[in-house]
Amino acid sequence: MEASNGHEIPKVASIKTLADSASFTVELRRACEEWGFFQVTNHGVPKSLMQSMIDTCQRFFDLPEEGKKEFQTRNLLDPIKCGTSFNVDIEKVHLWRDYLKVITHPEFNSLYKPAGYSEVSLEFSKRTREVATEILKGISESLGLEADYIAKAMNWDRGLQILAANYYPACPEPDKAIGLPPHTDHGLVTLLIQNEMGGLEVKHKDQWVLVNAAPGAFVVNIGDQMQILTNDKYKSIWHRAVVNNKATRISIAVPHGPSLDTPALPIPELLEREGQAPKYIGMTYEKFMELQASPAGLKKPCLDHLRVKHN
């Protein structure tokens, strides 16, 4: 489907005064229910740090292939891995992306090259986790729960955080390629930034909408674990990355999830209040991630594998 620019992208104005801001909760609830994603401004992370993270990842992708070879692995939970999605042997539509994925919580991992990566990624990871923590509090309150409810239920202190950099070079035939195909994120929430070359599209009312985020904003996606917790009240957002033939696009996504041994289940208090039966069975976050990467997970959405089948 063609992308449309005819929608106003939801914005949550500030998280600095979360505890005192009823408007934050209202805006958050509306964005989660109607879109499954939003953008956050006034989040307290310096634009200079966000730009430094993008620039540092650019320097990584600029390294010669031999310099990146030691990080090339496809094991799901390796602390550091990089690779390419491009495979002409199996693709009908070329996936035009290289990637770097580094686990930064519960244990911080980093690269020793390029110079400065470790320092920048440590500060960026800490600051994005602070933002994600505040967003999680806001989501809990928007559901009528205590602010720390989801964090406690999902063992947030041991939760998985990944710094994932995506590199989309200019594509000579963008109509024959895509950066990332349509997908949902596996975690609770994902924070995303990108350089000046846009390319993120979200699916809204069966139409692909190009996301033009405000300068310095974080785009925040609701993930599959949150959809399970809320029993479909807040749905994970389908999104994709498109490419262009003009310039390189770099995006940095920071997915945040539960601890690997924690299963997400519909929140009992919400079920009772709404008079609903649970729509999902439980599965640990690690097993869920493995499912997503498996042939079964590629054939149909992972949430469909967990959905309760009512007679």
Side-chain angles (χ1 to χ4, degrees):
M1 303 175 91
E2 294 295 324
S4 169
N5 295 321
H7 297 269
E8 183 179 354
I9 304 302
K11 181 188 295 185
V12 176
S14 176
I15 65 169
K16 286 186 175 180
T17 56
L18 174 60
D20 303 318
S21 177
S23 63
F24 177 91
T25 303
V26 172
E27 292 170 357
L28 197 56
R29 182 187 304 118
R30 184 182 300 118
C32 291
E33 288 182 341
E34 296 180 6
W35 285 80
F37 99 109
F38 50 92
Q39 54 178 320
V40 175
T41 58
N42 300 326
H43 42 66
V45 181
K47 290 182 181 179
S48 58
L49 176 60
M50 299 167 79
Q51 187 61 52
S52 292
M53 193 69 255
I54 291 173
D55 293 343
T56 304
C57 288
Q58 172 75 71
R59 292 198 299 275
F60 172 82
F61 290 115
D62 287 343
L63 292 172
E65 288 305 308
E66 191 63 28
K68 293 179 282 190
K69 192 173 183 179
E70 63 183 288
F71 306 118
Q72 291 174 353
T73 172
R74 290 187 175 272
N75 296 328
L76 182 63
L77 289 172
D78 279 351
I80 301 170
K81 64 178 180 176
C82 71
T84 183
S85 299
F86 187 73
N87 189 334
V88 295
D89 294 330
I90 64 173
E91 295 169 354
K92 295 180 180 179
V93 177
H94 297 322
L95 301 182
W96 199 259
R97 176 191 75 141
D98 291 343
Y99 63 85
L100 169 67
K101 297 181 180 180
V102 183
I103 294 176
T104 55
H105 195 275
E107 292 184 8
F108 177 74
N109 297 278
S110 188
L111 309 173
Y112 66 89
K113 57 184 175 181
Y117 178 91
S118 183
E119 294 81 3
V120 173
S121 65
L122 176 60
E123 183 64 17
F124 184 76
S125 298
K126 286 181 177 179
R127 299 296 288 269
T128 50
R129 188 159 186 82
E130 291 170 359
V131 174
T133 299
E134 292 303 304
I135 290 172
L136 210 64
K137 291 178 182 178
I139 290 176
S140 286
E141 293 188 335
S142 76
L143 293 166
L145 304 167
E146 294 294 325
D148 61 354
Y149 185 99
I150 294 177
K152 287 182 176 179
M154 293 291 95
N155 294 308
W156 182 254
D157 59 330
R158 297 188 288 111
L160 187 70
Q161 178 186 26
I162 303 172
L163 197 158
N166 301 300
Y167 176 76
Y168 309 98
C171 179
E173 296 181 287
D175 58 326
K176 296 181 180 179
I178 191 166
L180 272 177
H183 66 285
T184 59
D185 293 339
H186 48 66
L188 291 164
V189 292
T190 298
L191 276 61
L192 181 138
I193 60 174
Q194 57 188 348
N195 66 354
E196 65 278 1
M197 294 303 300
L200 173 65
E201 294 181 349
V202 299
K203 199 169 189 179
H204 181 63
K205 297 181 178 179
D206 292 324
Q207 188 172 33
W208 286 106
V209 180
L210 181 65
V211 177
N212 291 314
F218 280 110
V219 172
V220 182
N221 294 337
I222 296 298
D224 291 342
Q225 304 300 295
M226 189 67 73
Q227 180 166 338
I228 294 171
L229 285 176
T230 63
N231 213 41
D232 287 346
K233 186 176 182 66
Y234 293 170
K235 291 185 172 64
S236 53
I237 181 71
W238 282 90
H239 55 288
R240 67 184 184 183
V242 297
V243 294
N244 69 85
N245 58 6
K246 298 177 182 178
T248 293
R249 174 177 181 255
I250 290 182
S251 69
I252 299 175
V254 191
H256 297 79
S259 65
L260 289 173
D261 58 356
T262 298
L265 285 165
I267 296 172
E269 289 85 342
L270 296 183
L271 297 179
E272 183 177 358
R273 186 193 311 156
E274 302 287 339
Q276 294 180 341
K279 297 179 181 179
Y280 298 98
I281 61 174
M283 177 181 284
T284 66
Y285 188 37
E286 182 173 9
K287 292 294 184 184
F288 189 90
M289 293 176 68
E290 291 173 352
L291 174 62
Q292 189 188 56
S294 72
L298 296 174
K299 287 181 180 178
K300 69 176 182 178
C302 291
L303 289 177
D304 289 351
H305 291 273
L306 273 65
R307 195 172 290 275
V308 175
K309 296 177 176 62
H310 296 287
N311 296 327

